[in-house]
Every structure is written in structure tokens, then in C-alpha cells.
Amino acid sequence: MWILIGLVIVVAVFYLIRWKNAGVLERNKVPLDQAYLEFQAINEHYRSNLFKIQRLCTLAMHSASSPQPIRVFQTVKQQLIIDAYPKVDEETKHDYRYYKLDQQGKLIDSIYIKYEGYWPKFIDRFMVFSNERKAYYTTWPLDGDTTRHQFVSLNADFSWPKDKIDQKIRVVKKSGNYYFFSAFRDHGKDFRWMAFYEQQQWYMLWEKMPGYTQVADEDSGYRYRSDVFHTGTPDPVIPEDVRLIHFYPEEKMEYKHVIGGGTLPFSATNWRGKGFFSTDIAGRNFSFKVDQLVVEKEKSDGFKTRLYTLTEPGGAARIYEPAFYRSEHGFALYSGNWDELYIIKLQQ
């Protein structure tokens, strides 16, 4: 009986060791220097007398139609709005989800908008929704109010002469008020309307066009929004404002680089281990670690430091970019991948 139990244990240990070493070509037997034992990964479990970390959002899916799935832009009152791709299934892929941070980095509001055929634009204190024929606005960026206010249509019956339309467009552009254009074709006929804000009201000025009109970037409603940070288009080269102060190799293994775009994957062999980094936040040194890290340096590009993470031997390397947005008000946003966003603040 005891002999049988012993044999089972020996076999189990054998296969456990074999499984653990599958794909690993070599292991580092030199212990980690104690100077790096206190480094922590960036997540909500980070413990420090100086910094505190909060997870702001996590995405469920990525999509080619949304190459920058988390985007951050400035709005009124020195606030930041986070635009987070909400897709969890086919029914939600066109929806919208936003979070609002005040100037101190406090999460003060959020909103989920079901897609109803309208596309949102952020224009200062307004959130403008429009499709080809209709538009409305709310003041959610300013005060959190989601009450819908309809645009007033001008020349909806196309009775205005062209010189009157052109004159109104010139006056609106010269006034410096908010405006943008939209153009579309319907049953072989081409239309354009100009949205503009005047005397506490949004208007739509309609116009028939002799042919299809392409709206220039300088006349687009999206020009009022300027992103200050985004995820989804990472660069493996380490940013200049982040320092890799030590790399501790753990296992040597083979892995793949999957570039996409019709390019075949190619293999590489390197050490995977722990990376220890530092950067500056609010004038203070902030240190952190990254597990399962691969560091590459190639002679062909001047030995630039390129960073990847690798979950298993033989797997595909994932670009790791320690990207930070630093606010002048003393906090920072951080993302190392497309699907997560954290805020880092000084302890009060």
C-alpha cells in the first residue's frame, strides 16, 4: 500500500517538474538582489506611503474598428474624460462609455450610452449627438446633465437663396462661435448642413448641394476634441521618461513575434524575467516592477531597448509600453496594455 502511494507521488512529481520545465531552455540560478525585493507591480494592490493606485477601467474586448480603445481628452473645468470602448458582444459594439475626472483626478461621473444611430461629439461644455438628418445636445461635460435639447432647423424647406445661405455661413465662421458641417447623399441627391451655436441655441442650417461634399477636417465637429493619452498603438521602444534600472532573467525560452498584416510570425530566443523600472510622478520617484518581461536589443537599430511580455514558452510576445500621462495637478494615468487604465496619486 505505502509502496504504491510512494510510486504515485514520485510519478506526480516527475510530471510536475516536466510540465514546469516544458519549453524552458535554461533557468537562472542566481538569486535576485535584495535591493529589488520591495518593487511592486502597478495595480490596485500597490502599497506605498507615498503613492496610491486605483484602477479606472478595464476593457473586455479589442476591435480593429477601435484601434485606440481607451482615449483620454481634456474638457471644461480642467477635467478629463475617458472614452472607453464598451464592447462585450455584438449588441454593444457601437455603444459608448465615458468616465469623468475632476482636475484633482477624482472620478466624479460616468455615463453609458446605448447606440441609437447618433454619433457623439464633444464641443467644450456640450455633448452633441447627430446623424444624417437630426441632432441634439446635452451639457453632460459641464454639469452631468443628460437632458436632450433638440437643434433648431433653418431652411429645412430649402427656400433660402444661395447668397443668403453663404452670407450666414460667413457670419457664423467670423463670429468665432462653435460650428461644424455634415454632408450626405440620399437617393441620388446631395445635402449639407451647418451646425452652429448662437444666442444660447444650437441650429442646423440646411443646404442642397450640386454634388457630394467632403467635409474638411477644419470644419469637422471632431476638431474640438484633442486626445492627450490613448492605448492600443504601443511602441516596444521604452519611453524616454521611464528608466529600466534592472532586469532579472529567470527562464530562457523560445517565443514568437506576431506582426500581422500578412507578415508571417518569426521566432526568437531570449530570457524572460522581471523588469524593475522608475519614473517621476509629481516630482517624486515612482518605482515599479513588471513580471514575465522580455527585453530585446538589436544592433540594427542602435541597441534600443524594446519591451515585451510573454505568458508562456513558445507563445506570442505582447508589446509592453509603460505609458504615462502626467497631469499638472499632481497625478498620473498609466497603461501598459490596451485594456487597462490606472490613476496614480500622491497619498494625502
Side-chain angles (χ1 to χ4, degrees):
M1 177 67 177
W2 291 108
I3 295 176
L4 180 60
I5 293 175
L7 287 174
V8 171
I9 293 174
V10 169
V11 171
V13 170
F14 171 78
Y15 279 103
L16 178 62
I17 295 174
R18 185 176 179 181
W19 170 80
K20 186 177 180 181
N21 287 283
V24 176
L25 305 177
E26 186 179 348
R27 291 188 183 277
N28 181 17
K29 297 180 180 180
V30 178
L32 175 66
D33 191 308
Q34 292 190 354
Y36 303 103
L37 294 178
E38 299 299 320
F39 281 64
Q40 304 173 66
I42 298 179
N43 55 43
E44 60 271 33
H45 305 298
Y46 193 99
R47 295 293 177 263
S48 165
N49 293 327
L50 192 57
F51 297 99
K52 60 180 178 180
I53 298 178
Q54 176 188 358
R55 187 199 303 261
L56 291 176
C57 61
T58 302
L59 305 190
M61 301 183 71
H62 196 193
S63 170
S65 63
S66 182
Q68 299 172 353
I70 299 176
R71 293 176 289 170
V72 182
F73 57 95
Q74 293 178 328
T75 184
V76 292
K77 298 181 180 179
Q78 301 184 52
Q79 299 173 147
L80 293 175
I81 291 179
I82 301 167
D83 181 349
Y85 185 57
K87 180 180 177 180
V88 295
D89 53 34
E90 283 300 305
E91 293 185 1
T92 59
K93 67 180 181 180
H94 296 303
D95 296 348
Y96 302 95
R97 180 173 59 183
Y98 302 99
Y99 303 88
K100 191 193 303 181
L101 304 178
D102 68 12
Q103 62 179 335
Q104 303 304 320
K106 180 182 178 182
L107 181 62
I108 57 174
D109 201 358
S110 64
I111 185 173
Y112 189 97
I113 302 170
K114 191 74 176 174
Y115 177 69
E116 298 176 343
Y118 290 82
W119 300 281
K121 302 170 185 66
F122 287 85
I123 303 177
D124 196 40
R125 63 188 183 275
F126 301 109
M127 194 172 181
V128 174
F129 297 81
S130 64
N131 57 25
E132 289 184 344
R133 296 183 175 276
K134 298 179 181 180
Y136 67 90
Y137 71 93
T138 75
T139 56
W140 182 78
L142 176 68
D143 53 20
D145 190 352
T146 58
T147 303
R148 297 186 180 189
H149 305 275
Q150 300 298 321
F151 279 37
V152 174
S153 290
L154 301 177
N155 193 34
D157 59 357
F158 304 106
S159 61
W160 288 21
K162 189 176 188 315
D163 58 347
K164 182 178 179 180
I165 297 173
D166 292 343
Q167 174 65 17
K168 184 62 179 178
I169 291 174
R170 286 194 295 268
V171 169
V172 169
K173 286 188 171 184
K174 188 176 180 179
S175 71
N177 289 333
Y178 309 122
Y179 78 89
F180 65 91
F181 285 90
S182 180
F184 66 97
R185 173 171 290 175
D186 184 26
H187 294 91
K189 296 181 180 180
D190 294 287
F191 302 90
R192 184 179 75 168
W193 49 263
M194 179 180 68
F196 64 94
Y197 186 69
E198 186 177 80
Q199 296 181 351
Q200 309 300 312
Q201 176 63 53
W202 277 97
Y203 295 90
M204 301 171 69
L205 174 58
W206 284 88
E207 182 179 11
K208 285 184 178 180
M209 305 299 290
Y212 180 74
T213 302
Q214 181 71 40
V215 176
D217 290 343
E218 59 267 25
D219 288 330
S220 167
Y222 297 105
R223 74 185 188 277
Y224 291 101
R225 166 177 161 174
S226 180
D227 294 352
V228 298
F229 184 83
H230 64 78
T231 70
T233 52
D235 184 347
V237 177
I238 187 171
E240 293 182 358
D241 58 0
V242 177
R243 300 172 292 277
L244 174 61
I245 57 179
H246 182 63
F247 175 70
Y248 174 66
E250 293 178 310
E251 305 109 352
K252 191 175 186 179
M253 59 186 63
E254 186 176 313
Y255 55 94
K256 298 181 180 67
H257 281 296
V258 181
I259 300 176
T263 303
L264 293 175
F266 64 92
S267 297
T269 301
N270 205 343
W271 285 90
R272 183 183 73 172
K274 301 181 186 298
F276 301 91
F277 298 84
S278 69
T279 189
D280 297 320
I281 295 178
R284 308 294 184 90
N285 181 69
F286 175 75
S287 60
F288 61 99
K289 74 170 182 176
V290 175
D291 294 323
Q292 300 182 328
L293 187 73
V294 174
V295 179
E296 292 186 351
K297 295 185 179 183
E298 299 291 340
K299 182 179 180 180
S300 59
D301 65 358
F303 298 101
K304 292 180 180 179
T305 300
R306 299 179 184 273
L307 306 175
Y308 303 88
T309 55
L310 181 63
T311 57
E312 60 183 3
R318 183 181 188 183
I319 293 175
Y320 169 67
E321 180 186 12
F324 292 86
Y325 166 77
R326 295 168 179 80
S327 168
E328 61 184 10
H329 299 290
F331 65 87
L333 301 179
Y334 161 82
S335 178
N337 292 304
W338 60 265
D339 56 351
E340 291 183 329
L341 185 67
Y342 293 89
I343 186 167
I344 305 170
K345 301 180 186 179
L346 291 173
Q347 293 278 12
Q348 299 297 320

